[in-house]
Amino acid sequence: MQYDIASIIQGYAQGYFLMADDNDCLGWYGSRDRTLIPLDERFRYPKSLQRVLNQERFSVAINRDFAAVVAGCANRETTWISQELQEIYWLMYQTGYAYSFETWQGDELAGGILGIVIGGAFIGESMFYRIPDGSKVAMVKLVERLRKNEFVMFDAQMMNPHLERFGAYSIKDKEYKALLGKALQTSCSLS
């Protein structure tokens, strides 16, 4: 199947995101409330995670094994990442829009975050771990990288208790679109 990556990126740039339903039918979704991971002092994490960070058990990589991160994110009892969406992520990766931000323990993939970069926006699609704390360390290291590279926003799309522990907060759609517009006017690189 052929996909128009430019049109897909345009959809994300307008504040929508792709998800597959229970029948694996892909569709565009929006939300009245969007969840952001703060890139300022509001970002926080559990003290126990600071000990893990201090131990430096994990190394960080970008796109070392993109396909494995997508597969890890999709490998759940119920998933919205269909086979078709995995193919789209692969094409977005090949065209420089999709990224995997990974943690490794030696040669073993510990965890990762799948996201899309458009301008100064990092749109987090999903995360997973194989080794405990793998995805949490990825979250902390990713926020540090986004701050350093002057990203405007880290969009986490939908709130969950895991994200709340990192200081995630919700904003209304109008505020989100304004921030997204500002992010699209900047040019940031993850590497």
Side-chain angles (χ1 to χ4, degrees):
M1 193 181 270
Q2 293 291 312
Y3 299 104
D4 183 349
I5 296 303
S7 294
I8 290 171
I9 293 304
Q10 192 58 44
Y12 278 93
Q14 291 171 2
Y16 299 99
F17 51 93
L18 283 170
M19 286 176 67
D21 64 17
D22 294 339
N23 299 315
D24 280 350
C25 293
L26 210 52
W28 286 104
Y29 292 84
S31 176
R32 285 193 291 275
D33 293 305
R34 283 302 266 269
T35 297
L36 299 182
I37 304 292
L39 297 177
D40 56 20
E41 70 285 341
R42 291 174 292 177
F43 181 74
R44 63 178 189 268
Y45 49 86
K47 282 194 169 59
S48 59
L49 189 55
Q50 184 59 57
R51 287 192 290 278
V52 174
L53 289 160
N54 291 343
Q55 292 167 355
E56 298 182 359
R57 292 191 317 222
F58 300 104
S59 61
V60 170
I62 296 171
N63 293 342
R64 181 169 155 189
D65 196 343
F66 180 84
V69 171
V70 173
C73 290
N75 184 17
R76 298 200 170 114
E77 210 167 291
T78 55
T79 183
W80 51 267
I81 302 177
S82 63
Q83 189 59 47
E84 185 182 9
L85 188 49
Q86 290 181 54
E87 290 168 24
I88 290 170
Y89 286 144
W90 181 253
L91 290 172
M92 287 199 288
Y93 161 71
Q94 290 180 311
T95 51
Y97 289 105
Y99 289 86
S100 58
F101 193 86
E102 308 154 1
T103 49
W104 290 78
Q105 196 167 61
D107 286 332
E108 190 179 350
L109 179 62
I113 299 172
L114 170 64
I116 295 164
V117 173
I118 309 173
F122 183 90
I123 302 164
E125 293 284 288
S126 188
M127 61 196 295
F128 86 106
Y129 70 91
R130 288 184 186 155
I131 297 173
D133 298 319
S135 61
K136 294 177 193 161
V137 170
M139 174 73 81
V140 173
K141 295 297 185 181
L142 176 57
V143 167
E144 287 173 3
R145 178 71 56 100
L146 296 177
R147 283 176 175 161
K148 189 176 131 241
N149 294 0
E150 298 181 0
F151 273 74
V152 174
M153 64 188 283
F154 182 167
D155 177 3
Q157 297 175 351
M158 293 185 273
M159 184 65 80
N160 65 45
H162 177 67
L163 295 177
E164 272 185 286
R165 292 172 49 201
F166 290 95
Y169 62 98
S170 294
I171 60 172
K172 295 290 176 209
D173 187 53
K174 188 177 175 187
E175 194 184 344
Y176 171 80
K177 293 238 168 87
L179 192 60
L180 181 59
K182 183 181 168 197
L184 295 174
Q185 291 170 12
T186 62
S187 179
C188 296
S189 166
L190 198 57
S191 48

